[in-house]
Amino acid sequence: MVMQDGGTVDVRPGADPGRAAPEHRGAYRVTALCLGVYAGTLLAWTVYGIAHGDSGVDDFLEGLFNPGASPAAQVLGPYEWSFTVVFAVVAALALAQRRVARSAALLSAALLLAVSLREEVGLLSGPYRDQYGNDPLGGWALATRGLGLVVALVVPAVLLPAVEGRRAPGTAAAWAGGDARRDRSSRICGVLFLLMGVARLRWTVRDLTAGGTNVAHYLRGVVDGSLLGTVDLSTSTEFTTVGSVLTLLVLGTLALRARRDVRGALLVFAAVELYLTVRTVVWLTVTDFFNRSLETTEGALSMATTAYGLAAMTSVVVLATGRGFGPYGGIRTEGFRTARAGRP
């Protein structure tokens, strides 16, 4: 649609390309319901942990960014806190029928499925199953695990078929520039993710081969939920480390190829990584590691990796939300004005 008012031209697309097609609205609403309910469940566990813990709300809020602020154990950890926010935001985007929610929701479901499968492996252990019966909150924890598995199965089932069709005839040329910018930004994000994934993989391999670490025990901790010996909903360090490496490499590869719109997945995972990296920086500051980091080569490399993580994840968040991808996944056309006197 083109409207002309004197020397001003307003070019508007006939339909918002950032919204899901009408035939996919049901899938997006089911996704919003599933992720919203699970986010509410995790929030309820967080509130329970604060109410029944030794530390108060102030300590918890400080502990969101300072790992040493709250010594008392929480039901959930920073990984779950960050994804509570992710699930809620993605649910809101899906409810608003935004296409960016699709890849973000599929990533959320994939990670939930990985956590659920890890718990299924753990439940093969008899003593671990008994802990659910002996723990006063075991039934609620198991129900939460079951809810996560349902969400992990339902979301892909409804969203994978919700593929957007081709644009209407005659619009390809108008959107070509937006597609080029989107693909370029996607490839930049892909490179940043791949470099971060390779760096983190290198540190993980180094820790496993440096001596003093039981590699078999570590790898079992990635896939076996019973290894911690508790029914807490927080995931192990082994799982989060390996999971983040794999996610960075897979998303980086998909973004580098720019064959699919993974902007939502890039955005939410970069935001989670940025939050966790900020927590690391706060911890390094509190423990005065910054002043001692340059004393060894290993410390300097660790600081360089952390600095790169901050810069790279911030860049991905900016690129995924900025003009490079466009607010609708394409060129920005609404409200475009040309001055009568030929001003740019």
Side-chain angles (χ1 to χ4, degrees), residues 126-142:
Y128 186 61
R129 291 196 304 270
D130 293 339
Q131 289 189 41
Y132 276 103
N134 298 329
D135 193 300
L137 297 176
W140 291 105
L142 189 60

Side-chain angles (χ1 to χ4, degrees), residues 30-57:
V30 171
T31 298
L33 176 62
C34 290
L35 293 180
V37 169
Y38 195 71
T41 302
L42 293 182
L43 181 60
W45 277 108
T46 302
V47 173
Y48 176 87
I50 297 173
H52 293 80
D54 296 332
S55 57
V57 177

Side-chain angles (χ1 to χ4, degrees), residues 213-235:
T213 301
N214 188 325
V215 177
H217 186 273
Y218 184 94
L219 295 178
R220 182 187 169 192
V222 176
V223 299
D224 188 352
S226 67
L227 196 62
L228 287 177
T230 64
V231 296
D232 291 340
L233 294 173
S234 58
T235 51

Side-chain angles (χ1 to χ4, degrees), residues 55-67:
S55 57
V57 177
D58 293 340
D59 291 332
F60 172 78
L61 293 177
E62 184 180 355
L64 288 175
F65 292 94
N66 180 7

